[in-house]
């Protein structure tokens, strides 16, 4: 199931609730990632985009405590720079774990793009999606 399908389902079933789609785009993560010898022991720039979905009643208060704050996501992604990853699939999974950690978040999509992988391409990337059961 794609994120747009999950959003459509959430909207159809959100009686008395709001559906919030949060986006954090273009996070610059310098991380050791790759399976090739020339990638080992050096950091590469990875761009990260995250979309999270929250379906909940909202009080309408203009207060950060009433919503999901982006800080947990940005800081969680930044903390992953200390790890080494062989695959973007694994990195995306770790970011999904962070994205889905608040109880209010019901689904998330993560896209990573290695921008230094090929001279003749802007980036190589992966998008991974997960929803809570």
């Amino acid at each position: 199931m794609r994120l747009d399908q999950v959003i459509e389902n959430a909207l159809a079933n959100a009686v008395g609730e709001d559906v919030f789609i949060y986006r954090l785009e273009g996070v610059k993560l310098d991380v050791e990632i790759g399976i090739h010898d020339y990638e080992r022991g050096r950091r590469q720039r990875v761009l990260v985009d995250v979309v999270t979905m929250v379906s909940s009643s909202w009080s309408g208060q203009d207060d950060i405590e009433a919503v999901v704050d982006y800080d947990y996501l940005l800081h969680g992604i930044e903390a992953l720079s200390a790890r080494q990853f062989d695959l973007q699939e694994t990195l995306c999974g770790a970011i999904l774990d962070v994205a889905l950690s608040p109880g209010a978040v019901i689904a998330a999509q993560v896209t990573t793009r290695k921008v230094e992988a090929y001279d003749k391409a802007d980036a190589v990337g992966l998008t991974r999606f997960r929803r809570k059961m």
Side-chain angles (χ1 to χ4, degrees), residues 11 17-22 52-58 66-67:
L11 290 172
E17 294 189 339
D18 291 315
V19 175
F20 298 88
I21 307 299
Y22 293 87
T52 58
M53 186 173 85
V54 173
S55 178
S56 67
S57 297
W58 185 48
V67 296

Side-chain angles (χ1 to χ4, degrees), residues 24-31 46-51 70-83 85 91 94-96 98-99 110-112:
L24 182 61
E25 298 177 337
V27 176
K28 296 167 186 74
L29 180 66
D30 293 319
V31 65
V46 176
L47 297 179
V48 178
D49 298 329
V50 182
V51 178
Y70 298 95
D71 286 351
Y72 87 95
L73 193 50
L74 180 61
H75 297 312
I77 293 169
E78 290 173 335
L80 295 174
S81 69
R83 292 180 47 190
F85 298 90
L91 175 58
I95 297 169
L96 280 169
V98 171
V110 172
T111 299
T112 58

